[in-house]
Amino acid sequence: MLLLGTHLLKLYLQLGGLALLGFILGRLLPPKIPIYIGKFLFWIGVPVGVIAFVRRSDLSGSMWLAPAVAWLAILLGVGLSWIWLRSKAHPLSTSPGSGRSLWSQQPTQGSFVLAAMVGNTGFIGYPVTLALVGEQYFAWALFYDLLGTVIGAYGLGALLAARFGEGSKSYQQFVNAILYNPTLWSLGLGLWVREWPLPAVLEQSLQHFAWSAIALSLILCGMRLSQLHSWSSLKPASVSLIIKMLIVPLFLGISLSFWGIDRPALLVLVLQMAMPPAFATLVLAETYNLDCDLAVTALGLGSIGLLFTLPVWVLIFGIPPV
């Protein structure tokens, strides 16, 4: 327990402190600053960081299970959220005051499903994995995010958003979001140059830059959270978060524990599954005229809830080795 407390204290000080700094800066700096930081991280910071961490990650073993697990989590989240929506539409659940009018609205249903299916496995998932489990198993988080969350959000997520929403029905922008994602390309480049020897100074500089990008991504998350002003739709947001951050990682985590996966790798997968909703859910909600209040509430509430759920996953699935 003492070791667990030390790990979590270190995590909260590093991650929580940077996010808090970003929250404060987000209230003080012009609204365009987070946009510029986001573009820098998207085009340069995160891709370079991926190349740096891939060079030091262990790519042996069953790491390629990560995308499959990501898709299992996505589909399970969609399935459970759909079952919940169907239960709310059942005649037995339509008593006065039951809130049927809210649950029966398609924009609300769309945001509810999106919040339950994809998590912030990049900007939050990466630093959580690195802080708790270390660089050796970073590739598990990387493949989970790029081949699972990114494609799931802008592939299946876009299809669902178009199904429930009233906005643009063109999928080209979401196809472009996948094809022109520099992090995906940097993964291929990182695998290609993985064994190339680099001068010690250059290798060290690359690692320092990668960690700086991780720190900046946490500051950006705090800045974005400071701009979320809506806390309505608490009930549907809470239900979607219970599905996304509790039921799915618990069920799949216990199931995977019987597959013989290394405990650190299993912890990485569970942590990625338990991340709060991705910012992509808000992008999709705005594009397809879904319930943006629900998307915003789920983002903010999920980010706060993560502070309380992290100790649970570490206790259940093993104290990390770092």
Side-chain angles (χ1 to χ4, degrees):
M1 291 298 295
L2 180 60
L3 180 60
L4 171 60
T6 302
H7 280 300
L8 291 176
L9 178 60
K10 178 182 177 182
L11 176 69
Y12 290 161
L13 288 176
Q14 291 176 343
L15 278 61
L18 290 170
L20 178 60
L21 174 61
F23 188 90
I24 296 173
L25 292 176
R27 293 299 181 92
L28 299 176
L29 298 177
K32 289 186 177 181
I33 298 299
I35 298 177
Y36 296 144
I37 295 177
K39 289 182 177 180
F40 169 78
L41 288 172
F42 181 79
W43 291 106
I44 300 176
V46 174
V48 174
V50 164
I51 294 173
F53 289 127
V54 164
R55 292 180 59 85
R56 301 181 63 171
S57 298
D58 182 5
L59 301 183
S60 61
S62 305
M63 179 202 60
W64 297 97
L65 283 174
V69 173
W71 278 99
L72 282 175
I74 289 172
L75 294 176
L76 183 57
V78 172
L80 292 176
S81 61
W82 180 253
I83 291 173
W84 176 268
L85 291 175
R86 295 295 294 174
S87 70
K88 301 303 290 185
H90 194 278
L92 295 178
S93 67
T94 59
S95 58
S98 64
R100 182 194 179 197
S101 59
L102 175 66
W103 292 107
S104 63
Q105 297 174 8
Q106 284 205 334
T108 297
Q109 292 177 351
S111 291
F112 178 81
V113 173
L114 290 176
M117 65 177 280
V118 289
N120 194 334
T121 53
F123 285 151
I124 299 181
Y126 288 175
V128 167
T129 297
L130 289 166
L132 275 178
V133 188
E135 296 180 13
Q136 182 180 1
Y137 289 88
F138 176 73
W140 287 77
L142 182 64
F143 280 82
Y144 186 107
D145 175 57
L146 295 180
L147 302 183
T149 300
V150 172
I151 297 176
Y154 292 108
L156 178 59
L159 292 174
L160 291 173
R163 163 66 176 79
F164 288 103
E166 302 172 350
S168 169
K169 298 300 188 290
S170 172
Y171 304 114
Q172 185 61 43
Q173 57 185 312
F174 298 105
V175 173
N176 292 339
I178 296 174
L179 294 180
Y180 298 107
N181 187 322
T183 307
L184 280 173
W185 292 101
S186 70
L187 171 60
L189 179 60
L191 293 173
W192 182 39
V193 303
R194 172 178 164 79
E195 304 299 333
W196 290 14
L198 294 177
V201 175
L202 181 58
E203 182 72 41
Q204 188 176 16
S205 299
L206 188 64
Q207 295 298 322
H208 285 318
F209 183 90
W211 280 104
S212 298
I214 290 295
L216 189 58
S217 70
L218 287 167
I219 293 175
L220 176 62
C221 284
M223 296 177 75
R224 285 179 171 173
L225 288 175
S226 73
Q227 298 175 346
L228 302 181
H229 302 295
S230 174
W231 289 92
S232 59
S233 306
L234 280 176
K235 182 176 180 180
S238 299
V239 175
S240 68
L241 293 176
I242 290 174
I243 294 173
K244 170 71 186 66
M245 299 179 65
L246 293 177
I247 297 178
V248 170
L250 181 61
F251 175 77
L252 290 181
I254 293 175
S255 300
L256 290 170
S257 65
F258 296 102
W259 286 17
I261 301 176
D262 292 346
R263 296 297 290 185
L266 176 61
L267 181 59
V268 171
L269 294 177
V270 171
L271 291 174
Q272 289 291 76
M273 285 187 278
M275 287 298 107
F279 284 107
T281 60
L282 182 57
V283 174
L284 291 169
E286 292 174 341
T287 301
Y288 284 97
N289 293 331
L290 300 178
D291 190 335
C292 290
D293 286 342
L294 173 54
V296 168
T297 304
L299 286 175
L301 191 61
S303 299
I304 295 173
L306 181 65
L307 299 176
F308 301 94
T309 57
L310 279 179
V312 176
W313 304 125
V314 176
L315 279 172
I316 294 175
F317 296 101
I319 297 176
V322 295

